[in-house]
Amino acid sequence: GLVYIHLEEYDKCLEYQDDAEKIAIEIGNMALQAAIVANKAITISKQQKHEQALKELDQAIELNKRIGDKPRIAIALLNKSEQCSVHQK
């Protein structure tokens, strides 16, 4: 999906991210799922859908809390703070 972000083909990027998330869920890898959801938030933000991006970040935070990954919780919180400031402009 990263290449599609650079090409600004966000819908195509989200398709790949959704497929990857389904696999992460299927194999029960919550850390991978959390990383994918956080990346989806970035893609969604680039589409100017900041409210939806915030919801994705909330999900990433929750997943990371469930597995106790404090560094990724902190990263998601930082990304969320950026979304809040962008959304308020």
Side-chain angles (χ1 to χ4, degrees):
L2 184 60
V3 173
Y4 287 108
I5 285 180
H6 294 296
L7 294 173
E8 296 183 3
E9 293 183 29
Y10 304 122
D11 289 334
K12 191 69 168 173
C13 181
L14 285 169
E15 285 179 35
Y16 282 102
Q17 290 171 329
D18 286 339
D19 289 345
E21 184 181 9
K22 288 175 190 170
I23 293 169
I25 292 167
E26 183 180 308
I27 64 173
N29 189 328
M30 202 174 296
L32 179 59
Q33 182 186 359
I36 293 165
V37 170
N39 284 333
K40 284 173 61 175
I42 294 167
T43 304
I44 292 165
S45 176
K46 291 190 176 284
Q47 293 178 309
Q48 305 301 311
K49 298 177 182 176
H50 302 295
E51 287 293 327
Q52 185 179 350
L54 287 169
K55 289 177 184 176
E56 294 290 328
L57 287 169
D58 284 338
Q59 182 183 359
I61 291 166
E62 183 57 36
L63 288 166
N64 283 312
K65 283 182 179 178
R66 289 174 58 190
I67 60 173
D69 192 335
K70 289 186 178 185
R72 289 200 185 259
I73 293 168
I75 291 168
L77 288 169
L78 284 172
N79 288 338
K80 189 171 179 178
S81 71
E82 289 177 20
Q83 285 302 309
C84 290
S85 65
V86 168
H87 182 64
Q88 289 179 348
K89 287 182 181 179

Coordinates of all heavy atoms in Angstrom, one line a residue:
G1 N 0.8 -1.2 0.0 CA 0.0 0.0 0.0 C 0.8 1.3 0.0 O 0.4 2.3 -0.4
L2 N 2.1 1.2 0.5 CA 2.9 2.4 0.6 C 3.1 3.1 -0.7 O 3.1 4.3 -0.8 CB 4.2 2.0 1.3 CG 5.2 3.2 1.6 CD1 4.6 4.2 2.5 CD2 6.5 2.7 2.1
V3 N 3.3 2.3 -1.8 CA 3.6 2.9 -3.1 C 2.3 3.6 -3.5 O 2.5 4.7 -4.1 CB 3.9 1.8 -4.1 CG1 4.0 2.3 -5.5 CG2 5.2 1.1 -3.7
Y4 N 1.2 3.1 -3.2 CA -0.1 3.8 -3.6 C -0.3 5.1 -2.9 O -0.9 6.1 -3.4 CB -1.3 2.9 -3.5 CG -1.3 1.8 -4.5 CD1 -1.1 0.5 -4.2 CD2 -1.6 2.1 -5.9 CE1 -1.1 -0.5 -5.2 CE2 -1.6 1.2 -6.8 CZ -1.4 -0.2 -6.5 OH -1.4 -1.1 -7.5
I5 N 0.3 5.2 -1.6 CA 0.2 6.5 -0.9 C 1.0 7.5 -1.7 O 0.6 8.6 -1.9 CB 0.7 6.3 0.5 CG1 -0.3 5.7 1.4 CG2 1.1 7.7 1.1 CD1 0.1 5.5 2.8
H6 N 2.2 7.1 -2.1 CA 3.1 8.1 -2.9 C 2.5 8.4 -4.2 O 2.7 9.5 -4.7 CB 4.5 7.5 -3.0 CG 5.2 7.3 -1.7 ND1 5.5 8.4 -0.9 CD2 5.6 6.2 -1.1 CE1 6.2 8.0 0.1 NE2 6.2 6.7 0.1
L7 N 1.7 7.5 -4.8 CA 1.0 7.8 -6.0 C -0.3 8.6 -5.8 O -1.0 8.9 -6.7 CB 0.7 6.5 -6.8 CG 1.9 5.8 -7.3 CD1 1.5 4.4 -7.9 CD2 2.7 6.6 -8.3
E8 N -0.6 8.8 -4.5 CA -1.9 9.4 -4.1 C -3.1 8.6 -4.6 O -4.2 9.2 -4.8 CB -1.9 10.9 -4.6 CG -0.9 11.7 -3.9 CD -0.9 13.2 -4.3 OE1 -1.8 13.6 -5.0 OE2 0.0 13.9 -3.8
E9 N -3.0 7.3 -4.7 CA -4.1 6.4 -5.0 C -4.6 5.8 -3.7 O -4.3 4.6 -3.4 CB -3.6 5.4 -6.0 CG -3.3 6.0 -7.3 CD -3.0 4.9 -8.4 OE1 -3.5 3.8 -8.3 OE2 -2.2 5.3 -9.3
Y10 N -5.2 6.6 -2.9 CA -5.6 6.2 -1.5 C -6.6 5.1 -1.4 O -6.5 4.2 -0.5 CB -6.0 7.5 -0.7 CG -5.0 8.6 -0.7 CD1 -5.4 9.8 -1.2 CD2 -3.7 8.4 -0.3 CE1 -4.4 10.9 -1.3 CE2 -2.8 9.4 -0.4 CZ -3.1 10.6 -0.8 OH -2.2 11.6 -0.9
D11 N -7.5 5.1 -2.3 CA -8.5 4.0 -2.3 C -7.8 2.6 -2.6 O -8.1 1.6 -1.9 CB -9.6 4.2 -3.3 CG -10.6 5.4 -2.9 OD1 -10.7 5.6 -1.7 OD2 -11.2 6.0 -3.8
K12 N -6.9 2.6 -3.5 CA -6.2 1.4 -3.8 C -5.3 1.0 -2.6 O -5.2 -0.2 -2.2 CB -5.3 1.6 -5.1 CG -4.8 0.3 -5.6 CD -5.8 -0.6 -6.2 CE -5.3 -1.7 -7.0 NZ -6.3 -2.6 -7.4
C13 N -4.7 2.0 -2.0 CA -3.9 1.7 -0.8 C -4.7 1.1 0.3 O -4.3 0.1 0.9 CB -3.3 3.0 -0.3 SG -2.2 2.8 1.1
L14 N -5.9 1.6 0.5 CA -6.8 1.1 1.6 C -7.3 -0.3 1.2 O -7.5 -1.1 2.2 CB -8.0 2.0 1.8 CG -7.7 3.3 2.5 CD1 -8.9 4.3 2.4 CD2 -7.4 3.0 4.0
E15 N -7.4 -0.7 0.0 CA -7.8 -2.0 -0.4 C -6.7 -3.0 0.1 O -7.0 -4.0 0.7 CB -7.9 -2.2 -1.9 CG -9.2 -1.5 -2.5 CD -9.3 -1.7 -4.0 OE1 -8.8 -2.7 -4.5 OE2 -9.8 -0.8 -4.7
Y16 N -5.5 -2.7 -0.2 CA -4.4 -3.5 0.3 C -4.3 -3.6 1.8 O -4.0 -4.6 2.4 CB -3.1 -3.1 -0.3 CG -2.9 -3.5 -1.8 CD1 -3.1 -2.6 -2.8 CD2 -2.6 -4.8 -2.1 CE1 -3.0 -3.0 -4.1 CE2 -2.4 -5.2 -3.4 CZ -2.6 -4.3 -4.4 OH -2.5 -4.7 -5.7
Q17 N -4.5 -2.4 2.4 CA -4.4 -2.4 3.9 C -5.6 -3.2 4.5 O -5.4 -3.9 5.5 CB -4.5 -1.0 4.4 CG -3.2 -0.2 4.1 CD -3.2 1.2 4.4 OE1 -4.3 1.9 4.3 NE2 -2.1 1.8 4.7
D18 N -6.8 -3.2 3.9 CA -7.9 -4.0 4.4 C -7.6 -5.5 4.2 O -7.9 -6.3 5.1 CB -9.2 -3.6 3.6 CG -9.8 -2.3 4.0 OD1 -9.4 -1.8 5.1 OD2 -10.6 -1.7 3.2
D19 N -7.0 -5.8 3.1 CA -6.6 -7.2 2.8 C -5.6 -7.7 3.9 O -5.7 -8.8 4.4 CB -6.1 -7.5 1.4 CG -7.1 -7.3 0.3 OD1 -8.4 -7.4 0.7 OD2 -6.8 -7.2 -0.8
A20 N -4.6 -6.9 4.1 CA -3.6 -7.2 5.1 C -4.2 -7.3 6.5 O -3.8 -8.2 7.3 CB -2.5 -6.1 5.1
E21 N -5.1 -6.4 6.8 CA -5.8 -6.5 8.2 C -6.6 -7.8 8.3 O -6.5 -8.4 9.4 CB -6.7 -5.3 8.4 CG -7.3 -5.3 9.8 CD -8.2 -4.1 10.0 OE1 -8.6 -3.4 9.1 OE2 -8.6 -4.0 11.2
K22 N -7.3 -8.2 7.3 CA -8.0 -9.5 7.3 C -7.1 -10.7 7.6 O -7.4 -11.5 8.4 CB -8.8 -9.7 6.0 CG -9.9 -8.8 5.8 CD -10.6 -9.0 4.5 CE -11.6 -7.9 4.2 NZ -12.1 -7.9 2.8
I23 N -5.9 -10.7 7.0 CA -4.9 -11.7 7.2 C -4.4 -11.7 8.7 O -4.3 -12.7 9.3 CB -3.8 -11.6 6.2 CG1 -4.3 -12.0 4.8 CG2 -2.6 -12.6 6.6 CD1 -3.3 -11.7 3.7
A24 N -4.1 -10.5 9.2 CA -3.7 -10.3 10.6 C -4.7 -10.9 11.5 O -4.3 -11.6 12.5 CB -3.3 -8.9 10.9
I25 N -6.0 -10.6 11.3 CA -7.0 -11.1 12.1 C -7.1 -12.6 12.0 O -7.2 -13.3 13.0 CB -8.4 -10.4 11.8 CG1 -8.3 -8.9 12.2 CG2 -9.6 -11.1 12.5 CD1 -9.5 -8.1 11.6
E26 N -7.1 -13.1 10.8 CA -7.2 -14.5 10.6 C -6.1 -15.3 11.3 O -6.3 -16.4 11.8 CB -7.1 -14.8 9.0 CG -7.2 -16.2 8.6 CD -7.1 -16.4 7.1 OE1 -7.8 -15.6 6.4 OE2 -6.3 -17.2 6.7
I27 N -4.9 -14.8 11.3 CA -3.8 -15.5 12.0 C -3.6 -15.1 13.4 O -2.8 -15.7 14.1 CB -2.4 -15.3 11.2 CG1 -2.0 -13.8 11.3 CG2 -2.5 -15.8 9.8 CD1 -0.6 -13.6 10.7
G28 N -4.5 -14.2 13.9 CA -4.5 -13.9 15.3 C -3.3 -13.0 15.7 O -2.9 -13.1 16.9
N29 N -2.7 -12.2 14.8 CA -1.6 -11.4 15.2 C -2.1 -10.0 15.4 O -2.2 -9.1 14.5 CB -0.6 -11.4 14.0 CG 0.7 -10.8 14.3 OD1 0.8 -9.8 15.1 ND2 1.8 -11.3 13.8
M30 N -2.3 -9.7 16.7 CA -2.9 -8.4 17.1 C -1.9 -7.3 16.9 O -2.3 -6.2 16.6 CB -3.4 -8.5 18.6 CG -4.4 -7.4 18.9 SD -5.1 -7.6 20.5 CE -5.9 -9.2 20.4
A31 N -0.6 -7.5 17.1 CA 0.4 -6.5 16.9 C 0.4 -6.0 15.5 O 0.5 -4.8 15.2 CB 1.8 -7.0 17.4
L32 N 0.4 -7.0 14.6 CA 0.3 -6.7 13.1 C -1.0 -5.9 12.8 O -0.9 -5.0 12.1 CB 0.4 -8.0 12.3 CG 0.4 -7.8 10.8 CD1 1.5 -6.9 10.3 CD2 0.5 -9.2 10.1
Q33 N -2.1 -6.4 13.3 CA -3.3 -5.7 13.1 C -3.3 -4.3 13.6 O -3.7 -3.4 12.8 CB -4.5 -6.5 13.8 CG -5.8 -5.8 13.5 CD -6.9 -6.5 14.3 OE1 -6.7 -7.4 15.1 NE2 -8.1 -6.0 14.2
A34 N -2.7 -4.0 14.7 CA -2.6 -2.7 15.3 C -1.8 -1.8 14.3 O -2.1 -0.6 14.1 CB -2.1 -2.7 16.7
A35 N -0.7 -2.3 13.8 CA 0.2 -1.6 12.9 C -0.5 -1.2 11.6 O -0.5 -0.1 11.1 CB 1.5 -2.3 12.7
I36 N -1.3 -2.2 11.1 CA -2.0 -2.0 9.9 C -3.1 -0.9 10.1 O -3.3 0.0 9.3 CB -2.7 -3.3 9.4 CG1 -1.5 -4.2 8.9 CG2 -3.6 -3.0 8.2 CD1 -2.0 -5.7 8.8
V37 N -3.8 -1.0 11.2 CA -4.9 0.0 11.5 C -4.3 1.4 11.6 O -4.9 2.3 11.1 CB -5.7 -0.4 12.8 CG1 -6.6 0.7 13.2 CG2 -6.5 -1.7 12.5
A38 N -3.2 1.5 12.3 CA -2.5 2.8 12.4 C -2.1 3.3 11.0 O -2.2 4.5 10.7 CB -1.3 2.7 13.3
N39 N -1.6 2.5 10.2 CA -1.3 2.9 8.8 C -2.5 3.3 8.0 O -2.5 4.2 7.2 CB -0.5 1.8 8.1 CG 0.9 1.7 8.5 OD1 1.5 2.7 9.0 ND2 1.5 0.5 8.4
K40 N -3.6 2.6 8.2 CA -4.9 3.0 7.6 C -5.3 4.4 8.0 O -5.8 5.1 7.2 CB -6.0 2.0 7.9 CG -5.9 0.6 7.2 CD -6.9 -0.4 7.6 CE -8.3 0.0 7.5 NZ -9.2 -1.0 7.8
A41 N -5.1 4.7 9.2 CA -5.4 6.0 9.7 C -4.6 7.1 9.0 O -5.2 8.1 8.6 CB -5.1 6.1 11.2
I42 N -3.4 6.8 8.7 CA -2.6 7.8 7.9 C -3.1 8.0 6.5 O -3.3 9.1 6.0 CB -1.1 7.4 7.9 CG1 -0.5 7.4 9.3 CG2 -0.3 8.2 6.9 CD1 0.8 6.7 9.4
T43 N -3.5 6.8 5.9 CA -4.0 6.9 4.5 C -5.3 7.7 4.5 O -5.6 8.5 3.7 CB -4.3 5.5 4.0 OG1 -3.0 4.7 4.0 CG2 -4.8 5.5 2.6
I44 N -6.2 7.3 5.5 CA -7.5 8.0 5.6 C -7.3 9.5 5.8 O -8.1 10.3 5.3 CB -8.4 7.3 6.6 CG1 -8.7 5.9 6.2 CG2 -9.6 8.2 7.0 CD1 -9.3 5.0 7.3
S45 N -6.3 9.9 6.6 CA -6.1 11.3 6.9 C -5.7 12.0 5.6 O -6.1 13.2 5.4 CB -5.0 11.4 7.9 OG -4.6 12.7 8.1
K46 N -4.9 11.3 4.7 CA -4.5 12.0 3.5 C -5.7 12.2 2.6 O -5.7 13.0 1.7 CB -3.5 11.1 2.8 CG -2.1 11.1 3.5 CD -1.0 10.5 2.7 CE 0.3 10.6 3.4 NZ 0.8 12.0 3.4
Q47 N -6.8 11.5 2.8 CA -8.1 11.7 2.1 C -8.9 12.9 2.7 O -10.0 13.1 2.3 CB -8.9 10.5 2.1 CG -8.3 9.3 1.3 CD -9.2 8.1 1.3 OE1 -9.6 7.6 2.4 NE2 -9.5 7.5 0.2
Q48 N -8.3 13.5 3.8 CA -9.0 14.6 4.5 C -10.2 14.1 5.3 O -11.1 14.8 5.6 CB -9.4 15.7 3.5 CG -8.3 16.3 2.7 CD -7.1 16.9 3.6 OE1 -7.4 17.6 4.5 NE2 -5.9 16.5 3.3
K49 N -10.2 12.8 5.6 CA -11.3 12.2 6.5 C -10.8 12.1 7.9 O -10.5 11.0 8.4 CB -11.7 10.9 5.9 CG -12.3 10.9 4.5 CD -12.6 9.6 3.9 CE -13.1 9.7 2.5 NZ -13.4 8.3 1.9
H50 N -10.6 13.2 8.5 CA -9.9 13.2 9.8 C -10.7 12.5 10.9 O -10.1 11.9 11.8 CB -9.5 14.6 10.2 CG -8.6 15.3 9.1 ND1 -7.4 14.8 8.8 CD2 -8.9 16.3 8.2 CE1 -6.9 15.5 7.8 NE2 -7.8 16.4 7.5
E51 N -12.0 12.7 10.9 CA -12.8 12.0 12.0 C -12.6 10.5 11.9 O -12.5 9.8 12.9 CB -14.3 12.4 11.9 CG -14.6 13.8 12.3 CD -14.4 14.0 13.8 OE1 -14.6 13.1 14.6 OE2 -14.0 15.1 14.2
Q52 N -12.7 10.0 10.7 CA -12.5 8.5 10.5 C -11.1 8.1 10.8 O -10.9 7.0 11.4 CB -12.8 8.2 9.0 CG -12.8 6.7 8.8 CD -13.1 6.3 7.3 OE1 -13.5 7.2 6.5 NE2 -12.9 5.1 7.0
A53 N -10.1 8.9 10.5 CA -8.7 8.6 10.9 C -8.6 8.5 12.4 O -7.9 7.7 12.9 CB -7.8 9.7 10.3
L54 N -9.2 9.4 13.1 CA -9.2 9.4 14.6 C -9.8 8.1 15.1 O -9.2 7.5 16.1 CB -9.9 10.6 15.2 CG -9.2 12.0 15.0 CD1 -10.1 13.1 15.4 CD2 -7.9 12.0 15.9
K55 N -10.8 7.7 14.5 CA -11.5 6.4 14.9 C -10.5 5.2 14.7 O -10.4 4.3 15.5 CB -12.8 6.2 14.2 CG -13.9 7.1 14.7 CD -15.2 6.9 13.9 CE -16.2 7.9 14.3 NZ -17.4 7.9 13.5
E56 N -9.8 5.2 13.6 CA -8.8 4.2 13.3 C -7.7 4.2 14.3 O -7.3 3.2 14.8 CB -8.3 4.3 11.9 CG -9.3 4.1 10.8 CD -9.7 2.6 10.7 OE1 -8.9 1.7 10.9 OE2 -10.9 2.4 10.3
L57 N -7.2 5.4 14.7 CA -6.2 5.5 15.7 C -6.7 5.0 17.0 O -5.9 4.4 17.8 CB -5.7 7.0 15.8 CG -4.8 7.4 14.6 CD1 -4.6 8.9 14.6 CD2 -3.5 6.6 14.6
D58 N -7.9 5.3 17.4 CA -8.5 4.8 18.6 C -8.5 3.3 18.6 O -8.1 2.7 19.7 CB -9.9 5.3 18.8 CG -10.0 6.7 19.3 OD1 -9.0 7.3 19.8 OD2 -11.1 7.3 19.1
Q59 N -8.8 2.7 17.5 CA -8.7 1.2 17.4 C -7.3 0.7 17.6 O -7.1 -0.3 18.3 CB -9.3 0.7 16.1 CG -9.4 -0.8 16.0 CD -9.9 -1.3 14.6 OE1 -10.3 -0.5 13.8 NE2 -9.9 -2.6 14.5
A60 N -6.4 1.4 16.9 CA -5.0 1.0 17.1 C -4.5 1.1 18.5 O -3.8 0.2 19.0 CB -4.1 1.8 16.2
I61 N -4.9 2.1 19.2 CA -4.5 2.3 20.6 C -5.1 1.2 21.4 O -4.4 0.6 22.3 CB -5.0 3.7 21.1 CG1 -4.2 4.8 20.5 CG2 -4.9 3.8 22.6 CD1 -4.8 6.2 20.6
E62 N -6.4 0.9 21.2 CA -7.0 -0.2 22.0 C -6.3 -1.6 21.7 O -6.1 -2.3 22.7 CB -8.5 -0.3 21.6 CG -9.3 -1.3 22.4 CD -9.2 -1.1 23.9 OE1 -9.2 0.0 24.4 OE2 -9.2 -2.2 24.6
L63 N -6.0 -1.9 20.5 CA -5.3 -3.1 20.2 C -4.0 -3.2 20.9 O -3.6 -4.2 21.4 CB -5.2 -3.3 18.6 CG -6.5 -3.6 17.9 CD1 -6.2 -3.4 16.4 CD2 -6.9 -5.0 18.1
N64 N -3.2 -2.1 20.8 CA -1.9 -2.0 21.4 C -2.0 -2.1 23.0 O -1.2 -2.7 23.6 CB -1.2 -0.8 21.0 CG -0.6 -0.9 19.6 OD1 0.0 -1.9 19.3 ND2 -0.8 0.1 18.8
K65 N -3.1 -1.6 23.5 CA -3.3 -1.7 25.0 C -3.5 -3.2 25.3 O -3.0 -3.7 26.4 CB -4.5 -0.9 25.4 CG -4.2 0.6 25.6 CD -5.4 1.4 26.1 CE -5.1 2.8 26.2 NZ -6.3 3.6 26.7
R66 N -4.3 -3.9 24.5 CA -4.6 -5.3 24.8 C -3.4 -6.2 24.8 O -3.3 -7.2 25.5 CB -5.6 -5.8 23.8 CG -7.0 -5.2 24.0 CD -8.1 -5.5 23.0 NE -8.3 -6.9 22.9 CZ -9.0 -7.5 21.9 NH1 -9.6 -6.7 21.0 NH2 -9.2 -8.8 21.8
I67 N -2.4 -5.8 24.0 CA -1.1 -6.6 23.9 C 0.0 -6.0 24.8 O 1.1 -6.5 24.9 CB -0.7 -6.8 22.5 CG1 -0.4 -5.5 21.8 CG2 -1.7 -7.7 21.8 CD1 0.2 -5.7 20.4
G68 N -0.3 -4.8 25.4 CA 0.7 -4.2 26.2 C 1.9 -3.5 25.5 O 2.9 -3.4 26.1
D69 N 1.7 -3.1 24.3 CA 2.7 -2.5 23.5 C 2.8 -0.9 23.8 O 2.2 -0.2 23.0 CB 2.6 -2.8 22.0 CG 3.8 -2.4 21.2 OD1 4.6 -1.5 21.6 OD2 4.0 -3.0 20.1
K70 N 3.4 -0.5 24.8 CA 3.4 0.9 25.2 C 4.1 1.8 24.2 O 3.6 2.9 24.0 CB 4.0 1.1 26.6 CG 3.1 0.5 27.7 CD 3.6 0.8 29.1 CE 2.6 0.3 30.1 NZ 3.0 0.6 31.4
P71 N 5.2 1.4 23.6 CA 5.8 2.3 22.6 C 4.8 2.6 21.4 O 4.7 3.7 21.0 CB 7.0 1.5 22.1 CG 7.4 0.7 23.3 CD 6.1 0.3 23.9
R72 N 4.1 1.6 21.0 CA 3.1 1.8 19.9 C 1.9 2.6 20.3 O 1.3 3.3 19.5 CB 2.8 0.5 19.2 CG 3.9 -0.1 18.4 CD 3.4 -1.1 17.4 NE 4.5 -1.7 16.7 CZ 4.9 -1.4 15.5 NH1 4.4 -0.4 14.8 NH2 5.9 -2.0 14.9
I73 N 1.5 2.4 21.6 CA 0.5 3.2 22.1 C 0.9 4.7 22.1 O 0.1 5.6 21.6 CB 0.1 2.8 23.6 CG1 -0.5 1.5 23.6 CG2 -0.8 3.9 24.2 CD1 -0.6 0.9 25.0
A74 N 2.1 5.0 22.5 CA 2.6 6.4 22.5 C 2.7 6.9 21.0 O 2.3 8.1 20.8 CB 4.0 6.4 23.1
I75 N 3.1 6.1 20.1 CA 3.1 6.6 18.7 C 1.7 6.9 18.2 O 1.5 7.9 17.5 CB 3.8 5.5 17.8 CG1 5.3 5.5 18.1 CG2 3.6 5.8 16.3 CD1 6.0 4.3 17.5
A76 N 0.8 6.0 18.5 CA -0.6 6.2 18.0 C -1.2 7.5 18.7 O -1.9 8.3 18.1 CB -1.5 5.0 18.3
L77 N -0.8 7.7 20.0 CA -1.3 8.9 20.6 C -0.7 10.2 20.0 O -1.4 11.2 19.8 CB -1.0 8.9 22.1 CG -1.8 7.9 23.0 CD1 -1.2 7.7 24.3 CD2 -3.2 8.3 23.0
L78 N 0.6 10.1 19.6 CA 1.2 11.3 18.9 C 0.5 11.5 17.6 O 0.2 12.7 17.2 CB 2.7 11.0 18.7 CG 3.6 11.2 19.9 CD1 5.0 10.7 19.6 CD2 3.5 12.6 20.4
N79 N 0.2 10.4 16.8 CA -0.5 10.6 15.6 C -1.9 11.1 15.8 O -2.3 12.0 15.0 CB -0.5 9.2 14.8 CG 0.8 8.8 14.3 OD1 1.7 9.6 14.1 ND2 1.0 7.5 14.1
K80 N -2.5 10.7 16.8 CA -3.8 11.2 17.1 C -3.8 12.7 17.4 O -4.6 13.5 17.0 CB -4.5 10.5 18.3 CG -5.9 10.8 18.5 CD -6.5 9.9 19.5 CE -8.0 10.2 19.7 NZ -8.7 9.4 20.6
S81 N -2.8 13.2 18.2 CA -2.6 14.6 18.5 C -2.5 15.4 17.2 O -3.0 16.5 17.1 CB -1.5 14.9 19.5 OG -0.3 14.7 18.9
E82 N -1.7 14.9 16.3 CA -1.5 15.5 15.0 C -2.9 15.6 14.2 O -3.2 16.7 13.6 CB -0.5 14.8 14.1 CG 0.9 15.0 14.6 CD 1.9 14.2 13.8 OE1 1.6 13.9 12.7 OE2 3.0 13.9 14.4
Q83 N -3.7 14.6 14.3 CA -5.0 14.5 13.6 C -5.9 15.6 14.2 O -6.6 16.3 13.5 CB -5.6 13.2 13.7 CG -5.0 12.2 12.8 CD -5.1 12.6 11.3 OE1 -6.2 13.0 10.8 NE2 -4.0 12.5 10.6
C84 N -5.9 15.7 15.6 CA -6.7 16.7 16.2 C -6.3 18.1 15.8 O -7.2 18.9 15.6 CB -6.6 16.5 17.8 SG -7.3 15.0 18.4
S85 N -5.0 18.4 15.7 CA -4.6 19.7 15.3 C -5.0 20.0 13.9 O -5.4 21.1 13.5 CB -3.2 19.9 15.6 OG -2.4 19.1 14.8
V86 N -4.9 19.0 13.0 CA -5.2 19.2 11.6 C -6.7 19.4 11.5 O -7.2 20.2 10.7 CB -4.8 18.0 10.8 CG1 -5.4 18.0 9.4 CG2 -3.3 17.9 10.7
H87 N -7.5 18.6 12.2 CA -9.0 18.7 12.1 C -9.5 20.0 12.6 O -10.5 20.5 12.1 CB -9.6 17.5 13.0 CG -11.0 17.5 12.9 ND1 -11.7 17.2 11.7 CD2 -12.0 17.7 13.9 CE1 -13.0 17.2 12.0 NE2 -13.2 17.5 13.3
Q88 N -8.8 20.7 13.6 CA -9.3 21.9 14.1 C -9.0 23.1 13.2 O -9.5 24.2 13.4 CB -8.7 22.1 15.5 CG -9.2 21.2 16.5 CD -8.6 21.4 17.9 OE1 -7.6 22.1 18.0 NE2 -9.2 20.8 18.9
K89 N -8.1 23.0 12.2 CA -7.8 24.1 11.3 C -9.0 24.5 10.5 O -9.8 23.8 10.1 CB -6.6 23.7 10.5 CG -5.3 23.7 11.3 CD -4.1 23.4 10.4 CE -2.9 23.3 11.2 NZ -1.7 23.0 10.4

